[in-house]
Amino acid sequence: MTAARKAYRASIIHSIGDPAEVGLEASYEYFEDGLLVVTDGQIESVGDAGILLAHLPHGTEVVEYDDALLMPGFIDTHIHYPQTGMIASYGEQLLDWLNNYTFPAEKAFSDPAHADEVAEIFLNELLRNGTTTALVFGTVHKASVDAFFSAADKRNLRMIAGKVLMDRNAPDYLTDTAESGYRDSRELIERWHGKGRLHYAVTPRFAPTSSDEQLAAAGQLLQEYEGLYMHTHLSENRDEVEWVKSLFPQCSGYLDVYDHFNLLSERSVFAHGIHLCDDECKRLAETGSAVAFCPTSNLFLGSGLFNLPKMEQHKVHVGLGTDVGAGTSFSILQTLNEAYKVMQLQGAKLNPFKSLYLATLGGARALRLDDRIGSFASGNDADFVVLDYNATQLMQYRMQQAKTLDEKLFVLMMLGDDRTVRETFAAGQSVHRRG
Ligand code: GUN
Ligand code: ZN
């Protein structure tokens, strides 16, 4: 059988390194007139169209995009699919927001039909925004994760998700037990982990809502299965941090609670990490754990400002998260817009090439998936987006004044959103086309 080969011609960019490590110029590859060759859902090659076209087998279909920038699909390292319907809920900071809005919204996922419906809406929204991989919270209900994974599997997406573990300090209608949470997680792992492009994440909500027994059971699951993720929240809000200290007086701090139960690893992703001390950053780096930077959420809930330079100093892996529904947009472009402002408020800059890295390869590295996604390395999954430089009248006008690549990228990141995403591809298949 001949290979299913197709080529895409546009301006093409992808990250190949962290600007903090290799410098800006060595952090990306850019082809003004580029060609991406995709075979059987994987990247075959990327380069200058002038060179690659000459070597394409006769008859290969070439799709051309004008005024467009083609890049790897965005990676969202922290998001809650059950919170899609309560995004933009007014007035509270974290703990009241959870009690007043989040828990009641998550209650509805005891109904599998509701979970199916929201999973579809959620995936449509991700793909409309150019996000091809996400690390996703379900609810405490096993059925919520079945609904999510089966919807993602049908579209052949690379997704990571898990059932929330929560056996205390939450309404009765939303709690499991250490035993049932362990059992349900095992069942889901057996059913979904490694199926197609799916991965399972052991998902204790956060330290305050799990007993010692439940956190120990989470650690046990990570021991029992290869390649599982651990996904939770960490040091988001000052009242939350104080609460954790009072609940776990024997631990030296918030991160130490997770450490105590062996939950720090190369596949551990902690959302937020705003109020961390140097020792905690050091420990994250030592264990290869990652932090998800969620600027729209951190500003929306008034949680604080994420210190990216400090994470860079400690060499902690950082990805970008929308954290919908505390986050206010599914768009990674809008998330970069807010990330830039969070840095400004701390007297720092967020260069557009660093932004590109965070949105793609940096996220892939945080998820230990950089051998599959996040760049156009040969053999990677063909998950990519085509962005429209002229998506809106304002963007079109502004782009006329933009002289350099970094200027154009920056405008995309400040003014771009779902309207900017012309087409999204997953494993070489078109999964969203605008309009
Ligand atoms: N901490 C515990 N649960 C949550 C949640 O659902 N969202 C956010 N942003 N923080 C949390
Ligand atoms: Zn969250």
Side-chain angles (χ1 to χ4, degrees), residues 44-202:
E44 181 177 311
S45 53
V46 65
D48 285 313
I51 297 167
L52 291 185
L53 280 171
H55 295 99
L56 266 190
H58 191 69
T60 303
E61 184 184 351
V62 180
V63 183
E64 302 198 358
Y65 297 96
D66 294 330
D67 296 320
L69 184 63
L70 192 156
M71 66 171 71
F74 297 130
I75 297 173
D76 188 337
T77 62
H78 179 68
I79 188 165
H80 302 250
Y81 102 82
Q83 296 175 13
T84 302
M86 48 78 72
I87 187 172
S89 292
Y90 175 77
E92 309 295 357
Q93 294 213 351
L94 176 64
L95 300 176
D96 292 328
W97 175 85
L98 284 172
N99 287 318
N100 296 348
Y101 297 116
T102 314
F103 293 155
E106 293 191 4
K107 179 176 190 230
F109 286 73
S110 61
D111 174 9
H114 178 71
D116 286 339
E117 182 188 342
V118 178
E120 294 295 337
I121 294 168
F122 174 84
L123 288 177
N124 287 342
E125 209 54 44
L126 282 189
L127 297 173
R128 264 173 14 81
N129 281 282
T131 297
T132 47
T133 289
L135 174 56
V136 181
F137 259 67
T139 64
V140 74
H141 313 98
K142 194 169 51 175
S144 75
V145 176
D146 281 322
F148 177 76
F149 275 141
S150 58
D153 195 39
K154 263 188 255 154
R155 303 185 198 212
N156 192 18
L157 302 176
R158 191 170 288 286
M159 289 284 161
I160 313 168
K163 179 203 111 67
V164 166
L165 299 169
M166 178 153 71
D167 68 348
R168 64 167 178 168
N169 293 322
D172 286 346
Y173 60 74
L174 219 53
T175 49
D176 55 8
T177 65
E179 216 285 315
S180 74
Y182 170 82
R183 204 177 49 236
D184 287 352
S185 300
R186 273 192 75 128
E187 221 180 277
L188 289 164
I189 292 163
E190 301 275 351
R191 188 142 63 240
W192 296 109
H193 186 54
K195 179 169 198 298
R197 297 205 291 155
L198 307 175
H199 312 259
Y200 193 85
V202 175

Side-chain angles (χ1 to χ4, degrees), residues 347-411:
K349 290 180 184 170
L350 186 59
N351 183 279
F353 294 113
K354 177 73 186 196
S355 291
L356 172 71
Y357 173 78
L358 286 173
T360 56
L361 183 60
R365 285 181 175 173
L367 300 178
R368 306 287 166 174
L369 285 172
D370 47 310
D371 62 341
R372 299 271 20 112
I373 56 172
S375 78
F376 291 140
S378 168
N380 272 7
D381 300 351
D383 290 357
F384 59 97
V385 288
V386 181
L387 301 184
D388 184 352
Y389 277 128
N390 302 327
T392 67
Q393 295 207 348
L394 178 62
M395 284 180 73
Q396 184 174 21
Y397 183 64
R398 177 64 181 86
M399 284 297 175
Q400 287 170 17
Q401 342 284 324
K403 307 231 161 11
T404 57
L405 172 64
D406 55 338
E407 198 179 349
K408 286 168 87 169
L409 261 185
F410 187 64
V411 173

Side-chain angles (χ1 to χ4, degrees), residues 75-78 291-293 295 318-322 332 335-336 339 355 358-359 363:
I75 297 173
D76 188 337
T77 62
H78 179 68
V291 175
F293 173 21
V318 175
L320 210 60
T322 60
I332 288 290
T335 304
L336 290 170
S355 291
L358 286 173

Side-chain angles (χ1 to χ4, degrees), residues 78 80 83 86 94-95 97-98 102-103 106 137 164 166 204-209 232-234 236 240 254 271-272 294 297-298 301 303 323-327:
H78 179 68
H80 302 250
Q83 296 175 13
M86 48 78 72
L94 176 64
L95 300 176
W97 175 85
L98 284 172
T102 314
F103 293 155
E106 293 191 4
F137 259 67
V164 166
M166 178 153 71
R205 175 165 222 119
F206 65 156
T209 48
T232 191
H233 296 92
L234 170 69
E236 174 178 7
E240 171 211 18
Y254 197 157
H272 309 301
C294 307
S297 166
N298 298 159
L301 291 181
S303 301
D323 193 27
V324 165

